[in-house]
Amino acid sequence: MEQQRSFGSHTTGTLYLVPTPIGNLGDMTIRAIEILKTVDLIAAEDTRHTQMLLNHFEIKTKTISFHEHNTQMRIPELLAKLANGETIAQVSDAGMPSISDPGKELVRAAIDAGVPVVPFPGANAATTALIASGLPPQPFLFYGFLPRKAGEKNRELEKLAHESATLLFYESPHRVGKTLAAMQTAFGDRQAALARELTKKFETFIRGSLSALQTYAAGDLKGEFVIMVEGAADKPAVDVTVPLKMQVEAIVATGAKPNAAIKLVAKQNGLAKQVVYDAYHELEK
């Protein structure tokens, strides 16, 4: 099972990227269990959390912490072990390493050092939720967690307002309501879905418009959420011979917010945003 690569007179170890269950322990694969039993070391986001998983499957392999707060300190140590021929499995608390969890820095460092990196397939909250959302599963764009600060969040959502792919986000329970409201402001009242407690006893899907989902989000929520939002409709064809104000109004009629429509019209006409803004608001002067 273990893979090694020769470099001159010595052999380097292998970095294995091993997904763990997002809730139901039955989703742990046989191959993942086998590799966790046979590697020399497991680099875990939270060693205490991972130890419970290892105990369940009677895995005795030693663990070492590897999380966002000790990344730079740990990477040289782990690379040295790999260079000496040791094999390491990297795991996060749940799901795929590196997907909204620590991992990518070690992967990049291992690749740069010529160390083989072997990914294992397994549980992932975003795609698990997507296939039961009722929204088009492809194409999709996985964003992950939005910025916490309102201004930064709104700017990111505005950038995504004209993306035609189904949009996938992760969000904590105490921010779901505000995030849904920000999405409605940026996207219009599109169809969406919420998923929580995936693979667990109280797995829940809520489907409907962004405004309707906000009613659900007003309650006492627990568990991290996957938020899925339908993509934007095809951008309306804009006849540049039509007055700028009418071009903006046509886009707003599709559900876009005025500011987003103004930006699009400015881009399509090769004009400064302020020029289109003034034209759109000319009757208000």
Side-chain angles (χ1 to χ4, degrees):
M1 174 69 88
E2 295 183 7
Q3 175 179 334
Q4 294 184 322
R5 181 176 177 183
S6 296
F7 282 86
S9 60
H10 73 283
T11 302
T12 183
T14 298
L15 175 63
Y16 295 95
L17 308 178
V18 183
T20 55
I22 58 177
N24 192 318
L25 292 179
D27 292 334
M28 191 72 171
T29 68
I30 295 173
R31 185 180 175 216
I33 294 170
E34 289 178 349
I35 199 65
L36 292 181
K37 286 182 176 180
T38 56
V39 292
D40 297 303
L41 185 66
I42 297 171
E45 181 181 1
D46 183 333
T47 54
R48 294 168 299 180
H49 182 91
T50 297
Q51 194 59 54
M52 292 188 287
L53 176 73
L54 301 182
N55 291 343
H56 180 82
F57 290 106
E58 300 181 344
I59 298 171
K60 307 298 183 182
T61 308
K62 180 182 177 181
T63 63
I64 187 172
S65 65
F66 182 76
H67 49 72
E68 60 180 332
H69 302 297
N70 71 356
T71 299
Q72 297 308 313
M73 177 188 75
R74 276 287 189 246
I75 286 178
E77 179 182 355
L78 296 175
L79 285 180
K81 292 179 181 296
L82 289 163
N84 287 331
E86 292 186 44
T87 51
I88 298 176
Q90 182 183 356
V91 300
S92 66
D93 287 348
M96 290 282 186
S98 297
I99 304 299
S100 294
D101 282 315
K104 61 182 182 295
E105 297 87 355
L106 179 57
V107 170
R108 183 69 261 171
I111 292 171
D112 291 343
V115 173
V117 177
V118 178
F120 279 36
N124 173 263
T127 52
T128 299
L130 176 62
I131 59 174
S133 68
L135 299 173
Q138 58 189 46
F140 71 85
L141 188 155
F142 172 72
Y143 186 96
F145 286 98
L146 287 159
R148 294 188 180 187
K149 293 183 179 179
E152 295 177 6
K153 177 186 294 185
N154 292 339
R155 285 190 289 273
E156 288 300 301
L157 291 173
E158 194 171 277
K159 292 178 184 177
L160 296 169
H162 298 289
E163 173 58 59
S164 60
T166 298
L167 304 172
L168 277 62
F169 305 87
Y170 288 158
E171 191 54 281
S172 63
H174 61 277
R175 287 195 294 269
V176 168
K178 290 183 178 179
T179 295
L180 290 171
M183 288 176 171
Q184 185 178 352
T185 298
F187 302 156
D189 201 12
R190 297 185 193 171
Q191 289 298 299
L194 294 176
R196 62 178 288 273
E197 297 291 277
L198 289 169
T199 76
K200 301 178 184 178
K201 180 178 180 180
F202 297 107
E203 177 178 279
T204 303
F205 280 86
I206 305 296
R207 306 172 181 87
S209 64
L210 284 169
S211 59
L213 296 186
Q214 288 174 63
T215 301
Y216 169 79
D220 182 21
L221 304 179
K222 295 181 180 179
E224 287 193 348
F225 281 77
V226 181
I227 302 176
M228 296 154 285
V229 186
E230 70 173 342
D234 292 337
K235 295 179 181 177
V238 175
D239 183 348
V240 295
T241 64
V242 173
L244 295 174
K245 180 178 177 62
M246 293 179 64
Q247 292 182 39
V248 175
E249 289 175 338
I251 296 173
V252 169
T254 68
K257 295 300 177 182
N259 282 345
I262 288 169
K263 281 187 176 181
L264 179 58
V265 170
K267 181 177 180 180
Q268 291 174 325
N269 287 270
L271 299 171
K273 178 184 173 183
Q274 188 63 45
V275 173
V276 181
Y277 179 91
D278 291 342
Y280 179 64
H281 291 285
E282 61 181 351
L283 296 181
E284 300 176 10
K285 296 180 180 179

